Amino acid sequence: MPVSYIDIPTDVSQGAKEKMSREVFDAIHQAWPIPDTRILIREWPAESVSQDGRIETAPMRPICFLDVPPGLPVEAKRTLIQRISTAVAEACGRKPEDVPLPSGSHVKTNWVLTFFREYPLDRAALGDLLATENPLVLESLAADK
């Protein structure tokens, strides 16, 4: 039931996409052990992406959306993000960059942007059952506790 949409540049190899998908699945499934985790990969050519207000020749910075149940503790979110960010960055060949901040300090980033879209179980359904009524969802979440 958890879903991830991952937007990446078009030049990522099939092998890298498969490895990324496995690693992202493992990270998501550890956080929400519900069957039917879906990962959709969307590819974008450089000429179809604007970054910082300009069309660039460099491959896009990846974006990951997570459509998931709410309630994951912050520490588990940190672990999840680290695993997903690493998997997506590796697939896309993104190395960490040192970015200067206005304060004079620096931060390292691989530019993988991740968003959580959390849906209460009464706002999701699997098959013809609301997730709040679906034993496949409820028992999977209860087994994790």
Side-chain angles (χ1 to χ4, degrees), residues 61-64 84-86 88-89 94 109-114:
R61 297 171 185 161
I63 305 169
C64 179
I84 289 174
S85 180
T86 298
V88 174
R94 296 208 61 91
T109 184
N110 60 18
W111 296 105
V112 176
L113 181 60
T114 303

Side-chain angles (χ1 to χ4, degrees), residues 124-145:
L126 182 59
D128 60 353
L129 293 174
L130 284 171
T132 55
E133 303 166 340
N134 192 320
L136 185 65
V137 174
L138 298 174
E139 289 183 23
S140 297
L141 290 175
D144 186 42
K145 296 195 186 309

Side-chain angles (χ1 to χ4, degrees), residues 118-125 130-132:
E118 297 180 331
Y119 294 93
L121 295 182
D122 66 346
R123 293 186 55 208
L130 284 171
T132 55

Side-chain angles (χ1 to χ4, degrees), residues 31-103:
W32 297 279
I34 303 170
D36 194 28
T37 297
R38 301 178 192 194
I39 298 169
L40 293 93
I41 299 170
R42 301 181 289 200
E43 299 179 79
W44 298 92
E47 65 271 10
S48 295
V49 177
S50 171
Q51 295 176 152
D52 295 328
R54 62 188 175 276
I55 303 294
E56 297 198 30
T57 57
M60 69 171 287
R61 297 171 185 161
I63 305 169
C64 179
F65 296 92
L66 298 170
D67 291 355
V68 295
L72 192 65
V74 171
E75 193 54 43
K77 282 184 179 179
R78 286 186 185 110
T79 300
L80 176 68
I81 291 302
Q82 189 278 326
R83 291 178 68 189
I84 289 174
S85 180
T86 298
V88 174
E90 285 178 3
C92 296
R94 296 208 61 91
K95 305 291 183 209
E97 293 179 32
D98 193 43
V99 180
L101 301 174
S103 65

